[in-house]
Each structure stands twice: as structure tokens, then as C-alpha cells.
Amino acid sequence: MREKEIIKLTSVSSDRLELSPPEKDLPLTPPIPPSRSRIGWVLSHAVQLWLRSQVESVKELEVQIQGGDRQILQGVIPQVSLCGSGALYQGLHLSTLEVQGTGIQVNLRDILRGKSLHLQNPVPVVARLHLTEADLNASMRSPLIADAFTPLFFPQFASALSWNSEPTLTWEGAALLFSEETLTLRGRFHTPSQSAQPFLLRTGLQLGNPSELHFLNPTIQILSDSGVIPLETVILPLGSDVAISELSFTQSGLICQGQLTVLP
């Protein structure tokens, strides 16, 4: 699928420019804007390029900048809103995302000289993510998932399964059960003396506080054995820069909304 790119610039002043995608097979020839709006137009493209540099790929991306001419000329963007779909970030797949940042300071002089955009200060943003079951399946092999889940569950796995040597854990897939608000993670482990053993980890998932995820009443089952082993609740700290306000199971996947800080 071809990527669809939409760039919108909205100014609180009378100078306003909006660009839509070009008609098929026609070149994009934007109108010549007034000088101040031209700066905003260049800035909107710089923001879009910066956003694309933060992700591996994205199918659709819409960026909207809001601010007055005087603020933009000072390198200050009062608000940036973006909507995207089909994004891939460090192996994490996202069906849709909505992000809004405020009070953003950028290196405007460098941008006008053709250089890349850089943030001048930390930016507080509000984000809303939608992860489908297909997203979770595709994301399970990402470094983000492995680095987060393996240290959380490895000690309990080792104790419950009486491992004599340290195995290697591989996460392979996930499934959601909307009616019971549970998450099933599929993986396998293997040791130097054993062949790979597939397992299922079933767990509830809730917010403990805005900066913690709780994996409630988890169980592990080795698929070669019918027995199910209960584990203790596991807490995943998200860090002081993250505050989740919503985590909900829906028939189409997981919805997560919260605040975080983007560092320069």
C-alpha cells in the first residue's frame, strides 16, 4: 500500500495554508505563500520529517501545527497534533495513534537553513494508541517486548519449573480475550540440555497507578504438559515520565491513553 501523507498547517492569524495530497500522477505544486506563512510551511515539513525519523515506517500520517506568526518566528510551536496509522516503532506495531504536544521549542534558524529539526526542551504529550490482536502478534518479537517481559517473568518461570540451567526465552505471539480482559502470550524456552519447549502465559492486565501496569493472576502452561502453574502478580513500572489514564480491552484490541514526556 502506498503511504498517504497529509500535512496541515493551521495558524491563529489570518495567514493560513493547508496542503492536501496531490491528485494521482500530478506533481505537488503548492501556492506561493506569504513570507510568514512560508516559514510555517517549511516548519510543518520539518516536523513531518522529524516524526518519520522516529519510526521505522508509517502508512498514513497527518500533522497539524497551530500557532501565531509571532510565536512561530520565535521557534515556538504552541501545539502540534498528529494522527497516524500502520506505524512501526522499534518493532512495535500500532494500528492507530493520536498524539498532541504543546509548548514545543525548535531550532527554527537551523531549519530555515535546511538543517534537521531538533527539540530544544522536553515536550509533554498526550497519546492515544490502539493495538489490535494482529498488532500484538506482530510485536511480540520486538526488542521492546523482550526487554520488558523477560526480566519480569523469568524468576518465576525458573522457580516454578525448577530449571537447573538458565534457558533462553523467546516470545512468539499474543491473543486477547475481550470478555475476560485477559492476555495470552505464547513463547518457548530451551536449555543446552533440552529441546525448545512451547508455553502459554495467561494473565489479566490492569492499571495499578498511572505509572504501573499490573499482570494479575498469571499462569504458565507448558504445552507438552496439561498442568497449569499459578504465578504471582507482576508489576511493570513505566517510569516517572509516563502517566496512563486509560487501559481498556475492546472487541478490536487494546486502547491505551496517557501522558508522557518526549526528551530532546
Side-chain angles (χ1 to χ4, degrees), residues 133-236:
E133 186 171 272
D135 291 334
L136 289 170
N137 262 301
S139 301
M140 287 307 297
R141 293 180 181 270
S142 73
L144 284 178
I145 297 296
D147 291 346
F149 285 2
T150 298
L152 281 180
F153 291 102
F154 185 89
Q156 290 202 64
F157 285 3
S159 176
L161 301 174
S162 301
W163 285 332
N164 294 322
S165 58
E166 184 172 320
T168 300
L169 288 178
T170 303
W171 302 95
E172 297 182 333
L176 294 169
L177 184 57
F178 165 69
S179 60
E180 297 182 9
E181 296 192 348
T182 60
L183 176 66
T184 299
L185 305 178
R186 184 178 71 255
R188 62 181 60 233
F189 66 88
H190 60 85
T191 66
S193 59
Q194 290 180 316
S195 59
Q197 296 290 317
F199 67 86
L200 293 178
L201 172 68
R202 293 187 176 91
T203 179
L205 183 63
Q206 289 184 3
L207 280 177
N209 62 49
S211 298
E212 289 182 352
L213 287 180
H214 287 196
F215 294 86
L216 301 174
N217 304 314
T219 62
I220 184 174
Q221 179 183 2
I222 306 303
L223 295 185
S224 59
D225 187 346
S226 59
V228 176
I229 303 173
L231 305 175
E232 296 180 359
T233 292
V234 174
I235 297 175
L236 173 62

Side-chain angles (χ1 to χ4, degrees), residues 64-76:
Q64 185 170 344
I65 294 176
Q66 295 182 341
D69 293 330
R70 180 176 297 178
Q71 294 166 307
I72 290 175
L73 286 169
Q74 294 173 347
V76 177

Side-chain angles (χ1 to χ4, degrees), residues 15 33-40 73:
D15 294 330
S35 59
R36 289 178 297 173
S37 290
R38 181 182 289 114
I39 292 175
L73 286 169

Side-chain angles (χ1 to χ4, degrees), residues 84-129:
S85 65
L88 179 61
Y89 173 72
Q90 294 187 15
L92 185 64
H93 294 249
L94 301 170
S95 280
T96 61
L97 71 157
E98 302 172 16
V99 180
Q100 184 178 96
T102 56
I104 304 166
Q105 295 184 9
V106 297
N107 55 327
L108 180 61
R109 291 184 179 179
D110 292 335
I111 293 170
L112 295 177
R113 296 189 184 107
K115 296 184 180 180
S116 300
L117 179 146
H118 293 287
L119 300 178
Q120 303 297 304
N121 60 347
V123 178
V125 303
V126 177
R128 181 177 179 86
L129 312 177

Side-chain angles (χ1 to χ4, degrees), residues 12-92:
V12 296
S13 70
S14 59
D15 294 330
R16 177 171 177 171
L17 175 67
E18 292 192 3
L19 296 180
S20 297
E23 297 294 333
K24 185 177 181 181
D25 300 327
L26 291 179
L28 178 62
T29 55
I32 302 300
S35 59
R36 289 178 297 173
S37 290
R38 181 182 289 114
I39 292 175
W41 185 83
V42 170
L43 185 57
S44 69
H45 279 269
V47 170
Q48 190 215 32
L49 290 173
W50 181 82
L51 289 168
R52 285 191 169 278
S53 72
Q54 305 303 303
V55 297
E56 296 170 48
S57 64
V58 61
K59 290 182 179 179
E60 296 187 4
L61 179 64
E62 179 178 336
V63 180
Q64 185 170 344
I65 294 176
Q66 295 182 341
D69 293 330
R70 180 176 297 178
Q71 294 166 307
I72 290 175
L73 286 169
Q74 294 173 347
V76 177
I77 308 174
Q79 180 173 300
V80 170
S81 301
L82 72 91
C83 296
S85 65
L88 179 61
Y89 173 72
Q90 294 187 15
L92 185 64

